[in-house]
Amino acid sequence: MSTETTTPATDPGAVLDDITAMLRELLDEQGLDDVEITREATFHGDLELESIDLVTLSAALREHYGDRVNFAEFVAELELDEIIGLTVGQLVDHVVDELRAA
């Protein structure tokens, strides 16, 4: 039996899977179920998410990860052009960093 202390929640691949599932649910509700979600996909341009969708995503992240991940605070620290260009990968990296710091 291994005593390795790797937590799946801090694995970038697992976090990407979690966020992809959250995004897939949002996109399915909008009839955009054929959109490809990758680390490079931008929320605004590629996924066509609006600010209300980001609020919904923020709630889903909080529900899944608890108070350890605060998406609203993360976005508040970005400039407008950074928010527009925000990628799924950047969010994954932020979530992983926050979970490791917790």
Side-chain angles (χ1 to χ4, degrees), residues 5-15 95-101:
T5 58
T6 302
T7 305
T10 59
D11 173 62
V15 171
V95 170
V96 169
D97 290 346
E98 291 299 307
L99 293 174
R100 287 181 177 163

Side-chain angles (χ1 to χ4, degrees), residues 4-96:
E4 189 174 318
T5 58
T6 302
T7 305
T10 59
D11 173 62
V15 171
L16 177 60
D17 290 344
D18 291 342
I19 291 174
T20 297
M22 292 174 206
L23 289 170
R24 181 65 52 214
E25 190 172 319
L26 269 174
L27 293 170
D28 287 350
E29 290 173 7
Q30 298 175 3
L32 299 171
D33 53 351
D34 60 342
V35 174
E36 184 178 6
I37 301 171
T38 65
R39 283 186 59 88
E40 294 77 28
T42 61
F43 290 101
H44 180 73
D46 297 321
L47 303 180
E48 301 179 24
L49 296 180
E50 308 232 352
S51 58
I52 190 69
D53 300 316
L54 296 181
V55 171
T56 302
L57 176 60
S58 178
L61 287 166
R62 182 159 288 203
E63 183 177 319
H64 187 80
Y65 295 111
D67 291 334
R68 299 175 295 174
V69 176
N70 188 331
F71 181 66
E73 186 176 277
F74 170 61
V75 171
E77 295 175 357
L78 301 175
E79 298 293 326
L80 181 59
D81 59 332
E82 293 173 312
I83 295 170
I84 292 170
L86 186 65
T87 66
V88 172
Q90 288 173 299
L91 177 57
V92 167
D93 294 342
H94 169 72
V95 170
V96 169

